[in-house]
Amino acid sequence: MIKKLKGIEERFIKLEQLLSDPAVISDQKKYRDYLIEHGELNKIVPVFREYEGLLEEHKEAKELLKDNDLEIRAMAREEIPGLDSKIEAVKSQLNILLMPKDPRDDKNVLLEIRAGTGGEEAGIFTGDLFRMYSRYTESKNWAMEIVEKNDSSSGGFKEIVFLVRGKGAFSSFKYESGTHRVQRVPETEAQGRVHTSAVTVAVLPEAEDIDIDINPADLKIDVFRSSGPGGQSVNTTDSAVRITHIPTGVTATCQDEKSQHKNKAKAMGVLKSRILDAKVREEEGKRAAERKGQVGTGDRSGRIRTYNFPQGRMTDHRIGLTLYKLDSIMEGNIQEIIDELKTYNQVQALKEIA
């Protein structure tokens, strides 16, 4: 590990020199690439230098154990356990920083929320989840764009698809994929009985042109008039677009914009993301070394979370996390949940490495 970290530190120093080179500064692309790499290494190098400093302090303390002065030897004996603890903590931090990074983490993310079991109540909760994610997106200063939606007659949505643009968006949202269960008394329930409904969330990294290449001859494009709740037309022109990728059968629809051209561009973006997601899942399914018990980032059939409104409780079943602040969570304060899921996943990965 030390050898690898030394190499990282040398590269970091080299990048600092390059970033002050006039020839590099004048080349915007090269300068930007070096700046991004420098930023990534700057997360590791200060921690490594702290680690080296602690090792040096530990070495000096052990030398003091040989000192002729009894008081100095006693001080060294008291200092060593604390240094041991600090060294282990920083070493664990370095192990996490050196873990292979998911190349999708910095991508924009496409979220698809669909009402499941529970009828109209599921549609209402689909709207609640959309609002929760919208508030969280705002708190991160990310941009959000609705791609497709199908309104529910009682409020909320039968389904809604939206894109979140921001650095690290996928890394934050990727653990949201799965079935979200809600337990509460619906507004339409006269006798006050608690009902259970379910909503599914799919999380896909936004595909870029370099990620996937689609042959235009493999596409079937249909245009139609946009519709609102109950199927009524909300536009007088055929502006809505549905694109089908014939070889895979994957489809994407967009009717949110009034312009057919804009709807087509949005639908194509969704289509590419869905095809890329399917390919990634196929590859992951073939990996025999996939670690057991990993927090899933894509199993949409498994129940991952329960929102119990009568008790004000949220439980994430994958990691056994229970929080009694449901009102705050539904307002978009989900960073604590995301952090706990990330930490759990890192610990599992470190165990596998060990």
Side-chain angles (χ1 to χ4, degrees), residues 54-118:
L54 288 168
L55 290 177
E56 187 61 32
E57 285 184 51
H58 192 273
K59 182 181 177 181
E60 291 172 359
K62 291 192 76 172
E63 287 295 321
L64 290 175
L65 290 175
K66 304 172 187 176
D67 197 277
N68 293 328
D69 190 314
L70 288 174
E71 189 174 337
I72 289 177
R73 292 206 301 268
M75 288 174 62
R77 276 195 297 271
E78 288 180 9
E79 188 179 3
I80 286 173
L83 287 170
D84 286 336
S85 178
K86 288 180 181 178
I87 287 169
E88 282 304 310
V90 176
K91 186 178 179 181
S92 295
Q93 190 179 353
L94 283 170
N95 278 327
I96 290 171
L97 289 170
L98 290 174
M99 282 171 55
K101 188 178 178 182
D102 187 336
R104 304 171 297 173
D105 276 352
D106 287 335
K107 286 183 176 289
N108 299 328
V109 64
L110 191 73
L111 285 97
E112 305 176 348
I113 313 176
R114 293 184 175 86
T117 56

Side-chain angles (χ1 to χ4, degrees), residues 107-110 163 165 170 204-208 211 269 273 276:
K107 286 183 176 289
N108 299 328
V109 64
L110 191 73
L163 181 69
R165 300 183 188 275
F170 180 76
L204 292 70
E206 183 187 27
E208 299 173 16
D211 296 324
S273 295
L276 178 63

Side-chain angles (χ1 to χ4, degrees), residues 49-334:
R49 289 172 176 170
E50 180 187 358
Y51 182 67
E52 284 191 307
L54 288 168
L55 290 177
E56 187 61 32
E57 285 184 51
H58 192 273
K59 182 181 177 181
E60 291 172 359
K62 291 192 76 172
E63 287 295 321
L64 290 175
L65 290 175
K66 304 172 187 176
D67 197 277
N68 293 328
D69 190 314
L70 288 174
E71 189 174 337
I72 289 177
R73 292 206 301 268
M75 288 174 62
R77 276 195 297 271
E78 288 180 9
E79 188 179 3
I80 286 173
L83 287 170
D84 286 336
S85 178
K86 288 180 181 178
I87 287 169
E88 282 304 310
V90 176
K91 186 178 179 181
S92 295
Q93 190 179 353
L94 283 170
N95 278 327
I96 290 171
L97 289 170
L98 290 174
M99 282 171 55
K101 188 178 178 182
D102 187 336
R104 304 171 297 173
D105 276 352
D106 287 335
K107 286 183 176 289
N108 299 328
V109 64
L110 191 73
L111 285 97
E112 305 176 348
I113 313 176
R114 293 184 175 86
T117 56
E120 291 298 328
E121 172 62 13
I124 294 170
F125 191 61
T126 297
D128 292 340
L129 281 186
F130 172 67
R131 182 174 179 274
M132 179 181 83
Y133 291 142
S134 299
R135 291 292 179 89
Y136 177 69
T137 297
E138 290 172 10
S139 73
K140 303 290 284 187
N141 292 317
W142 292 337
M144 190 187 74
E145 180 182 357
I146 294 175
V147 176
E148 179 185 352
K149 65 178 179 177
N150 186 352
D151 297 313
S152 173
S153 58
S154 298
F157 308 98
K158 293 179 182 177
E159 68 173 336
I160 183 164
V161 180
F162 58 100
L163 181 69
V164 177
R165 300 183 188 275
K167 184 175 174 59
F170 180 76
S171 68
S172 289
F173 278 111
K174 65 182 180 181
Y175 300 114
E176 294 302 301
S177 190
T179 299
H180 296 242
R181 186 176 69 168
V182 57
Q183 296 173 325
R184 64 182 176 188
V185 179
E187 294 179 7
T188 55
E189 172 56 55
Q191 298 181 21
R193 291 175 299 184
V194 174
H195 286 225
T196 299
S197 305
V199 168
T200 61
V201 176
V203 180
L204 292 70
E206 183 187 27
E208 299 173 16
D209 290 337
I210 58 172
D211 296 324
I212 188 164
D213 183 33
I214 295 178
N215 185 344
D218 290 336
L219 300 177
K220 179 176 179 286
I221 301 175
D222 299 305
V223 294
F224 54 97
R225 292 187 182 181
S226 302
S227 61
Q232 73 266 29
S233 176
V234 295
N235 204 335
T236 57
T237 60
D238 292 338
S239 61
V241 177
R242 180 187 299 108
I243 306 177
T244 303
H245 185 240
I246 298 169
T248 62
V250 175
T251 65
T253 303
C254 184
Q255 59 178 13
D256 196 55
E257 301 285 349
K258 293 182 179 179
S259 161
Q260 185 185 118
H261 177 72
K262 290 181 179 179
N263 280 329
K264 183 179 177 181
K266 280 189 178 183
M268 181 59 75
V270 174
L271 187 80
K272 286 183 177 180
S273 295
R274 287 176 178 168
I275 292 172
L276 178 63
D277 181 61
K279 286 187 175 182
V280 170
R281 290 177 190 285
E282 185 180 356
E283 290 170 8
E284 288 179 346
K286 293 176 182 177
R287 290 179 193 157
E290 182 86 30
R291 69 177 178 271
K292 295 179 181 178
Q294 178 182 6
V295 174
T297 59
D299 183 5
R300 297 165 202 163
S301 62
R303 184 190 68 188
I304 64 165
R305 199 174 291 159
T306 295
Y307 305 77
N308 186 296
F309 279 77
Q311 298 178 19
R313 167 172 52 84
M314 185 289 310
T315 299
D316 194 291
H317 304 289
R318 296 164 294 179
I319 57 176
L321 174 68
T322 297
L323 299 174
Y324 287 90
K325 46 183 174 182
L326 187 55
D327 288 347
S328 177
I329 289 168
M330 297 311 296
E331 286 298 318
N333 298 310
I334 59 174

